Amino acid sequence: GFRSQCVVRPGERAWPDPGAPRPSQTTVGTLYHKLGGVYPIARFADRLVELVLQSDEVQVDHCSIDDLSGTRHAPGLKYMLTELICRGTGGLEVVTSRAFDPAKLGVQPPQWPAFMRLASDAATEIFQNQQLIAALMSALPMMKAEICIGVDEDDQATQGMKKLQASEFNRFQASAALDRCGGQAEDALALLHTGWTPDTTPAGSPRVAAACPVAGKTATVQDSISRCPFAAAVGMAKVSDTPSGVSGSEEAK
């Protein structure tokens, strides 16, 4: 069994902690990566389902955890929603029951606005950065057909996202731009073509000062323009290339 793999016997030493796993190269830069990978997304899905099951505004069919004959227990709903959100934000997880109503969370379409309010509450609890929260809120409508029952997948939000991604912007950039432009795809596309990028620094976090990789000194804005041609790029990389929201979390694959 698994006991020999889990138990450290007398005279044995536990393997050292390997640290956080490195993200897959195919997910780097995606919203999935920016959110921190599967672990914080699973926490978000867990909290969201809990809020839904406690809500008077959103009702979904579910079974008591003690009902052995039931098929819609909270842990299962959380697992399926985690799969969906991971995949929908750029992760490698596979949605095992796509377009299968019994496996959906089962939100009724008229209750979608209330569901989104609960999702915003859950995201605010789990993630720290407002741009990431906004991007996640913009990504969820893309998954509406797999969360709700009886929804056309090709709605306006989906069309707008597809248009931006067809222009070779990733889902994180597209979601953030759509949120900034009130869901207007043309305005979001124009914004992205200006070179605008969403800020992924957690709310309240100090900016990382740019440093010259040659001199090793912290650069002011003026220095980065007039003296060190690398400083601004280094500073930008430190801020934007690091997943925000939950520290020490990455995908487990």
Side-chain angles (χ1 to χ4, degrees), residues 5-251:
Q5 301 177 39
C6 300
V7 176
V8 178
R9 292 175 293 195
E12 291 184 334
R13 296 181 62 184
W15 287 97
D17 184 352
R22 294 184 178 182
S24 167
Q25 288 301 309
T26 60
T27 67
V28 171
T30 65
L31 179 54
Y32 173 86
H33 175 243
K34 299 287 186 180
L35 290 170
V38 65
Y39 292 136
I41 290 175
R43 288 182 59 209
F44 166 71
D46 178 271
R47 184 58 182 146
L48 177 52
V49 171
E50 287 295 327
L51 290 176
V52 167
L53 297 185
Q54 296 166 11
S55 173
D56 294 327
E57 296 183 275
V58 181
Q59 292 84 37
V60 299
D61 180 30
H62 66 285
C63 307
S64 168
I65 194 68
D66 298 321
D67 182 0
L68 299 182
S69 63
T71 57
R72 290 181 56 81
H73 301 103
L77 296 176
K78 294 173 182 178
Y79 175 80
M80 299 303 293
L81 186 61
T82 298
E83 274 190 346
L84 178 64
I85 297 174
C86 284
R87 187 68 177 187
T89 54
L92 300 178
E93 286 73 10
V94 176
V95 181
T96 54
S97 297
R98 189 176 292 277
F100 183 55
D101 281 354
K104 297 178 181 179
L105 185 56
V107 174
Q108 296 295 328
Q111 297 175 353
W112 181 256
F115 171 80
M116 288 296 290
R117 287 194 294 272
L118 296 178
S120 179
D121 290 344
T124 301
E125 289 185 32
I126 303 302
F127 305 106
Q128 302 172 15
N129 178 269
Q130 291 302 315
Q131 288 278 9
L132 292 178
I133 293 171
L136 178 57
M137 293 302 98
S138 296
L140 285 177
M142 292 281 291
M143 311 170 211
K144 187 175 180 179
E146 295 299 326
I147 296 174
C148 293
I149 297 174
V151 172
D152 180 9
E153 185 175 8
D154 200 25
D155 59 12
Q156 183 177 0
T158 303
Q159 292 174 6
M161 183 69 75
K162 287 181 177 179
K163 184 171 186 176
L164 267 62
Q165 289 184 282
S167 298
E168 299 185 353
F169 294 105
N170 64 41
R171 184 164 296 188
F172 172 62
Q173 294 170 314
S175 296
L178 283 170
D179 177 75
R180 187 176 179 88
C181 297
Q184 299 300 313
E186 292 292 342
D187 293 343
L189 187 60
L191 176 65
L192 288 169
H193 279 308
T194 67
W196 175 85
T197 57
D199 179 18
T200 58
T201 307
S205 297
R207 290 278 184 174
V208 178
C212 177
V214 179
K217 296 180 180 180
T218 299
T220 64
V221 174
Q222 184 61 33
D223 287 339
S224 66
I225 295 173
S226 61
R227 298 179 185 177
C228 179
F230 306 104
V234 171
M236 286 291 290
K238 287 183 179 179
V239 172
S240 62
D241 293 348
T242 302
S244 300
V246 178
S247 61
S249 297
E250 272 295 351
E251 67 238 59

